[in-house]
Short mmCIF file of all heavy atoms in Angstrom, two decimals:
data_model
loop_
_atom_site.label_atom_id
_atom_site.label_comp_id
_atom_site.label_asym_id
_atom_site.label_seq_id
_atom_site.Cartn_x
_atom_site.Cartn_y
_atom_site.Cartn_z
N LEU G 168 105.18 101.05 72.11
CA LEU G 168 104.99 99.64 72.49
C LEU G 168 105.15 99.47 74.01
O LEU G 168 104.44 98.68 74.63
CB LEU G 168 106.00 98.76 71.75
CG LEU G 168 105.76 98.61 70.25
CD1 LEU G 168 106.91 97.82 69.60
CD2 LEU G 168 104.43 97.92 69.98
N ALA G 170 104.37 101.73 76.17
CA ALA G 170 103.10 102.26 76.71
C ALA G 170 101.98 101.24 76.58
O ALA G 170 101.18 101.06 77.50
CB ALA G 170 102.73 103.56 75.98
N LEU G 171 101.94 100.55 75.44
CA LEU G 171 100.91 99.53 75.23
C LEU G 171 101.06 98.41 76.26
O LEU G 171 100.06 97.97 76.86
CB LEU G 171 101.01 98.97 73.81
CG LEU G 171 100.13 97.76 73.48
CD1 LEU G 171 98.65 98.09 73.65
CD2 LEU G 171 100.40 97.27 72.05
N ARG G 190 79.43 97.09 71.81
CA ARG G 190 77.98 96.98 71.53
C ARG G 190 77.37 98.37 71.31
O ARG G 190 76.52 98.55 70.44
CB ARG G 190 77.27 96.25 72.67
CG ARG G 190 77.57 94.77 72.73
CD ARG G 190 76.56 94.03 73.60
NE ARG G 190 76.58 94.50 74.98
CZ ARG G 190 77.36 93.99 75.94
NH1 ARG G 190 78.21 93.01 75.64
NH2 ARG G 190 77.32 94.46 77.17
N PHE G 213 92.70 91.88 68.91
CA PHE G 213 91.40 92.45 69.21
C PHE G 213 91.01 92.16 70.65
O PHE G 213 90.75 91.00 71.01
CB PHE G 213 90.34 91.91 68.24
CG PHE G 213 90.74 92.05 66.80
CD1 PHE G 213 90.71 90.96 65.92
CD2 PHE G 213 91.17 93.28 66.30
CE1 PHE G 213 91.09 91.09 64.61
CE2 PHE G 213 91.54 93.42 64.97
CZ PHE G 213 91.51 92.32 64.12
N LYS G 214 90.94 93.21 71.45
CA LYS G 214 90.51 93.05 72.84
C LYS G 214 89.02 92.74 72.90
O LYS G 214 88.55 91.97 73.74
CB LYS G 214 90.84 94.31 73.65
CG LYS G 214 90.30 94.30 75.08
CD LYS G 214 90.83 93.09 75.86
CE LYS G 214 90.24 93.03 77.25
NZ LYS G 214 90.59 91.79 77.97
N VAL G 235 96.91 104.60 63.75
CA VAL G 235 97.93 104.70 64.79
C VAL G 235 99.05 105.63 64.32
O VAL G 235 99.54 106.49 65.07
CB VAL G 235 98.49 103.32 65.15
CG1 VAL G 235 99.76 103.43 65.97
CG2 VAL G 235 97.44 102.53 65.91
N ASN G 255 94.73 95.28 49.44
CA ASN G 255 94.87 94.63 50.76
C ASN G 255 94.20 93.25 50.74
O ASN G 255 93.08 93.11 50.24
CB ASN G 255 94.20 95.51 51.82
CG ASN G 255 94.51 95.06 53.24
OD1 ASN G 255 94.19 93.95 53.63
ND2 ASN G 255 95.11 95.96 54.02
N PRO G 261 88.59 87.25 51.73
CA PRO G 261 87.82 87.28 52.98
C PRO G 261 88.52 88.11 54.04
O PRO G 261 89.75 88.06 54.14
CB PRO G 261 87.73 85.79 53.38
CG PRO G 261 87.96 85.04 52.13
CD PRO G 261 88.90 85.88 51.31
N LEU G 264 86.56 93.35 53.17
CA LEU G 264 86.31 94.61 53.85
C LEU G 264 86.07 95.73 52.84
O LEU G 264 86.77 95.83 51.84
CB LEU G 264 87.49 94.92 54.76
CG LEU G 264 87.44 96.13 55.69
CD1 LEU G 264 88.33 95.87 56.91
CD2 LEU G 264 87.90 97.40 54.98
N PRO G 290 80.26 99.10 50.68
CA PRO G 290 80.58 100.54 50.80
C PRO G 290 79.48 101.28 51.56
O PRO G 290 78.30 100.90 51.51
CB PRO G 290 80.66 101.00 49.33
CG PRO G 290 80.96 99.76 48.56
CD PRO G 290 80.24 98.65 49.27
N LEU G 305 83.86 107.37 72.09
CA LEU G 305 83.90 105.96 72.48
C LEU G 305 85.34 105.44 72.54
O LEU G 305 85.67 104.62 73.42
CB LEU G 305 83.07 105.12 71.48
CG LEU G 305 81.55 105.32 71.55
CD1 LEU G 305 80.87 104.55 70.42
CD2 LEU G 305 81.02 104.84 72.90
N ASN G 389 84.99 90.46 134.86
CA ASN G 389 83.94 89.47 135.16
C ASN G 389 84.53 88.21 135.79
O ASN G 389 83.80 87.47 136.47
CB ASN G 389 83.18 89.13 133.89
CG ASN G 389 82.34 90.29 133.39
OD1 ASN G 389 81.86 91.11 134.18
ND2 ASN G 389 82.15 90.38 132.07
N VAL G 402 85.93 98.47 134.26
CA VAL G 402 86.13 98.61 132.82
C VAL G 402 86.28 100.06 132.43
O VAL G 402 87.19 100.45 131.69
CB VAL G 402 84.97 97.94 132.04
CG1 VAL G 402 85.09 98.27 130.54
CG2 VAL G 402 84.96 96.44 132.25
N ALA G 409 93.62 103.90 129.50
CA ALA G 409 94.16 103.50 128.20
C ALA G 409 94.10 104.64 127.19
O ALA G 409 94.99 104.79 126.34
CB ALA G 409 93.44 102.27 127.67
N GLY G 436 100.26 107.65 115.85
CA GLY G 436 98.94 108.10 115.38
C GLY G 436 97.83 107.85 116.37
O GLY G 436 96.65 107.96 116.02
N ASP G 448 109.05 82.72 136.73
CA ASP G 448 110.32 82.11 137.13
C ASP G 448 111.31 83.16 137.57
O ASP G 448 112.07 82.95 138.55
CB ASP G 448 110.90 81.28 135.99
CG ASP G 448 110.07 80.04 135.70
OD1 ASP G 448 109.33 79.61 136.60
OD2 ASP G 448 110.18 79.50 134.58
N ARG G 450 110.61 86.01 138.98
CA ARG G 450 110.19 86.46 140.30
C ARG G 450 110.56 85.44 141.36
O ARG G 450 111.00 85.79 142.46
CB ARG G 450 108.68 86.73 140.30
CG ARG G 450 108.30 88.05 139.68
CD ARG G 450 108.69 89.19 140.62
NE ARG G 450 108.58 90.47 139.91
CZ ARG G 450 109.60 91.06 139.31
NH1 ARG G 450 110.80 90.51 139.32
NH2 ARG G 450 109.44 92.23 138.71
N ILE G 452 113.00 83.21 141.23
CA ILE G 452 114.45 83.25 141.42
C ILE G 452 114.86 84.48 142.22
O ILE G 452 115.72 84.43 143.11
CB ILE G 452 115.18 83.21 140.06
CG1 ILE G 452 114.93 81.86 139.38
CG2 ILE G 452 116.68 83.48 140.22
CD1 ILE G 452 115.43 81.80 137.95
N HIS G 479 134.10 90.92 174.41
CA HIS G 479 133.74 91.61 175.66
C HIS G 479 134.02 90.73 176.88
O HIS G 479 134.58 91.18 177.89
CB HIS G 479 132.27 92.01 175.63
CG HIS G 479 131.80 92.67 176.87
ND1 HIS G 479 132.15 93.97 177.23
CD2 HIS G 479 131.01 92.20 177.88
CE1 HIS G 479 131.60 94.26 178.40
NE2 HIS G 479 130.87 93.21 178.78
#
Side-chain angles (χ1 to χ4, degrees):
L168 290 174
L171 172 61
R190 288 196 299 271
F213 308 127
K214 174 57 183 173
V235 167
N255 190 299
L264 185 152
L305 289 174
N389 292 329
V402 171
D448 291 338
R450 281 287 168 265
I452 293 172
H479 177 73

